[in-house]
Amino acid sequence: LANMTLGSAGLAFVLSSNPNGHKLLGGIHQTDSSGHSLCRGHGDIHELRMETDTVELMRKGLVLSHVSWQFFKNELGWDDTTPEHILTHQISRSHQEKFFQLLKLDEKKGYSNIEWLGNTGSAAAPLSLAMACEEGRIKKGDQAALLGIGSGISTLMLGLTW
């Protein structure tokens, strides 16, 4: 079952130390817990049910994303044009468009898989990274930003050199 806050995928990836490999440049995490009541599960293991104020959750998530993006750029010494690739949390096409517009990012740098995978939730950014690499879009030395937003409301942003 996937909705705005329940994605339909999961994954893992391994971080290791290899001077000739990919490099994790850094990242930031922020939480605005004032949005904790915008998405509520009912805790019944026999019936997965959630109530979500999707409009307000999207609005507050975008606001926190904008603030987080400023901190993230400062942390990595980047500007809006630095990463060649922007891989995001994808819950809907509408959300993705608003996200890129608000952060003033070039949508051509994004990789969208929501059209054929649906809402993969927090797995969308690393899934997009893997898929873009398989397609040869991300080359050695490219910089990429993995940008996630979660209910509650939290953001996690990571910078990589591939």
Side-chain angles (χ1 to χ4, degrees):
L1 171 70
N3 69 17
M4 185 170 170
T5 59
L6 292 175
S8 59
L11 64 84
F13 61 93
V14 176
L15 293 176
S16 65
S17 178
N18 177 348
N20 299 316
H22 315 300
K23 185 175 181 183
L24 177 61
L25 302 173
I28 63 107
H29 173 270
Q30 286 198 298
T31 297
D32 174 4
S33 59
S34 70
H36 74 279
S37 64
L38 297 174
C39 178
R40 292 180 177 244
H42 293 283
D44 182 348
I45 63 169
H46 303 291
E47 181 185 356
L48 183 58
R49 191 167 53 104
M50 296 190 83
E51 294 176 17
T52 306
D53 181 344
T54 55
V55 172
E56 187 62 8
L57 184 61
M58 183 181 294
R59 188 191 71 74
K60 287 182 84 86
L62 290 170
V63 168
L64 184 62
S65 295
H66 185 263
V67 171
S68 297
W69 178 244
Q70 306 315 311
F71 283 117
F72 177 68
K73 291 185 300 183
N74 187 53
E75 177 72 20
L76 272 65
W78 285 5
D79 61 33
D80 291 336
T81 64
T82 301
E84 286 92 0
H85 307 280
I86 300 165
L87 309 155
T88 64
H89 180 113
Q90 299 175 36
I91 56 169
S92 71
R93 187 68 193 134
S94 169
H95 176 269
Q96 209 170 1
E97 289 169 358
K98 289 176 183 174
F99 182 84
F100 274 84
Q101 288 169 359
L102 179 66
L103 274 59
K104 297 180 176 47
L105 300 172
D106 183 356
E107 276 195 75
K108 293 177 188 147
K109 292 183 174 189
Y111 182 92
S112 181
N113 57 31
I114 195 163
E115 295 81 6
W116 64 93
L117 294 181
N119 176 4
T120 55
S122 58
L127 267 173
S128 296
L129 174 64
M131 294 171 80
C133 287
E134 284 180 2
E135 293 175 14
R137 293 183 185 201
I138 299 179
K139 310 282 190 234
K140 183 171 178 57
D142 284 358
Q143 291 184 322
L146 277 72
L147 310 177
I149 309 167
S151 298
I153 296 168
S154 295
T155 58
L156 175 64
M157 299 185 173
L158 300 173
L160 307 170
T161 296
W162 204 250

